[in-house]
Amino acid sequence: MAAGVFHKWPLRRLRPLPIVKLARSVAQRRPIGKTTMVFALAVILVFQLGGEIIVHLFALPVPGPVVGLVLLYVALTINGGVPDNFRASATVLLQHLMLFLIPATTGLMMHFRRLGDEWLPILLAALGGAAVTMALTAVTLRLLLATRRAP
Amino acid sequence: MITDIHGFWAFLQASPLLWLAVTLVAYQIAYAIYLRAGRNPLVNPVLVSITLIITVLLATRTPYPTYFDGARLVHFLIGPATVAMAVPLYAHSERLRSMLLPLGGALLVGSATAIISAVAIGSLFGASTETLLSLAPKSTTMPIAMGITEKIGGSPSLTSLMVTLTGISGATMAGWLLKLVRIDDVATRGFAIGVTAHAIGTAYTFQLGEVAVAFAAIGMGMNGVLTTILVPMLLRLLMRH
């Protein structure tokens, strides 16, 4: 029976083209090989570029990468899932987000003088503002989720 | 021989190699300390790394722009990492969609609180007007905050300082503060951290799991957009007094 089906599909018996073989091996390889990591980075950079172009064209007040995030989200929704090796590459990037923030954060050293002059209001606004904001946001969200579940 | 060493040092200082190496090594040391301390937020890897790097820069009399030029490659990766956040967001899209209205309400409260509390505390303790204007957008990510400050007449570099301090404060206090107000839900924790402490907070949520990351990312993104709208409106009200 199975053999009969295959006879109706002569293409199945042809040897796959090398490019098809390559694509298949790339798609099936679970650990991140060089090819897949670079492929994922290429996809991500193209989406970032798209975001940057849209921001420029429409003079949006948001950064290009945030629009790129939205574009990639839409693309994943259309695709109906995240390819395994793409997910692995994205996770590697996200795990080291703290590292990427370091060069900009080091810019703090440019403001030692201002920190000396206005350290009290600056420190209190940063600490107090963060505490009040975080607590109020969390409590509001819990309240809204609870009232919605209640009825 | 002496001139050779000076020449070599000048070459190193101007090349990305040295500053990329310093940044990565500082991060490795900071991360090892962080793990050894049982992920104690007081030794937040960002805080420890920049302390190490600033020490090296001051000791070698290297100006910050020289360092930043060298470490630009690391800085660039913030963009791709932001785009990559679509992956955890997509993984939890069903839950996100079902919570859209409560999230919007909490965001409105959080975003307004961030702006008003910063300006109020600042003016209460005698900050200058330029500092106050630079304080207003401090809970959003660096590029958005600097764009806002430019528009309202604050100082972008001062804003980057405020954004940094807020991020570190938020990530440092998140653990005990959210325990204090009894928030157990990981999604709620992640969202509040993302709204308050932008990318530094979102980076911190990685130890709370993928759900927290997704909600932190959406909190950070939504707050960025809302703050650009709210800051000019609220400042007009606040600065009148």
Side-chain angles (χ1 to χ4, degrees):
Chain A
M1 181 64 198
V5 172
F6 277 112
H7 276 294
K8 284 175 191 165
W9 289 94
L11 278 176
R12 272 291 175 97
R13 286 181 302 174
L14 290 175
R15 283 193 181 174
L17 293 168
I19 184 81
V20 176
K21 266 190 188 169
L22 180 74
R24 214 177 269 165
S25 79
V26 166
Q28 285 168 351
R29 198 183 300 155
R30 291 233 154 204
I32 317 164
K34 276 178 194 159
T35 322
T36 53
M37 183 77 200
V38 173
F39 170 74
L41 193 60
V43 171
I44 288 173
L45 286 179
V46 167
F47 276 93
Q48 190 181 344
L49 186 64
E52 221 54 84
I53 291 171
I54 288 178
V55 164
H56 184 76
L57 281 180
F58 298 98
L60 298 178
V62 287
V66 174
V67 177
L69 187 165
V70 176
L71 292 178
L72 179 58
Y73 181 90
V74 172
L76 290 175
T77 310
I78 294 170
N79 188 46
V82 188
D84 270 352
N85 40 39
F86 187 81
R87 171 191 294 274
S89 306
T91 309
V92 169
L93 260 181
L94 286 173
Q95 270 169 348
H96 298 289
L97 191 56
M98 284 202 250
L99 167 65
F100 308 153
L101 298 172
I102 290 169
T105 311
T106 306
L108 197 132
M109 68 183 286
M110 302 270 278
H111 299 283
F112 280 153
R113 184 170 299 162
R114 170 106 46 175
L115 265 175
D117 292 343
E118 296 186 58
W119 65 272
L120 188 68
I122 285 177
L123 203 65
L124 287 179
L127 284 169
V132 176
T133 307
M134 197 180 293
L136 269 181
T137 309
V139 170
T140 309
L141 183 54
R142 183 176 57 184
L143 198 76
L144 290 176
L145 286 172
T147 49
R148 201 194 45 166
R149 274 182 201 131
Chain B
M1 189 62 200
I2 296 287
T3 49
D4 258 351
I5 288 173
H6 281 292
F8 185 59
W9 173 246
F11 156 75
L12 274 186
Q13 215 175 16
S15 90
L17 172 65
L18 178 65
W19 303 121
L20 281 176
V22 166
T23 307
L24 287 171
V25 169
Y27 177 70
Q28 293 302 326
I29 295 171
Y31 205 78
I33 293 175
Y34 183 59
L35 290 184
R36 190 62 67 84
R39 296 177 186 270
N40 187 328
L42 275 179
V43 284
N44 177 298
V46 177
L47 195 61
V48 175
S49 301
I50 65 169
T51 310
L52 291 172
I53 295 170
I54 290 177
T55 309
V56 171
L57 295 181
L58 291 179
T60 57
R61 295 168 187 269
T62 307
Y64 173 69
T66 307
Y67 162 75
F68 187 79
D69 255 359
R72 208 178 276 276
L73 185 60
V74 173
H75 177 74
F76 172 77
L77 289 170
I78 295 176
T82 306
V83 177
M85 275 178 202
V87 173
L89 273 182
Y90 174 78
H92 302 280
S93 53
E94 231 164 83
R95 200 160 165 202
L96 276 172
R97 248 173 267 164
S98 73
M99 287 169 69
L100 216 53
L101 270 180
L103 288 177
L107 172 74
L108 197 62
V109 171
S111 195
T113 308
I115 300 165
I116 296 170
S117 66
V119 176
I121 295 173
S123 68
L124 196 66
F125 291 92
S128 62
T129 309
E130 198 196 6
T131 304
L132 285 182
L133 289 174
S134 313
L135 276 171
K138 73 184 178 59
S139 270
T140 65
T141 53
M142 197 91 72
I144 299 188
M146 287 168 83
I148 297 173
T149 310
E150 267 168 20
K151 269 187 201 156
I152 60 174
S155 141
S157 63
L158 185 55
T159 294
S160 76
L161 167 73
M162 295 313 306
V163 169
T164 303
L165 287 178
T166 302
I168 294 174
S169 311
T172 308
M173 66 176 66
W176 62 262
L177 181 74
L178 292 172
K179 206 177 277 172
L180 190 76
V181 292
R182 302 214 176 87
I183 306 291
D184 305 315
D185 181 35
V186 187
T188 309
R189 284 182 165 223
F191 188 74
I193 294 171
V195 167
T196 310
H198 50 88
I200 299 181
T202 304
Y204 163 81
T205 59
F206 266 85
Q207 50 184 284
L208 306 180
E210 211 192 32
V211 177
V213 179
F215 280 83
I218 198 122
M220 173 175 84
M222 286 166 77
N223 192 27
V225 177
L226 189 59
T227 305
T228 38
I229 303 167
L230 282 185
V231 163
M233 285 167 51
L234 287 175
L235 275 183
R236 220 169 294 155
L237 286 172
L238 290 168
M239 290 310 218
R240 211 177 277 169
H241 303 294

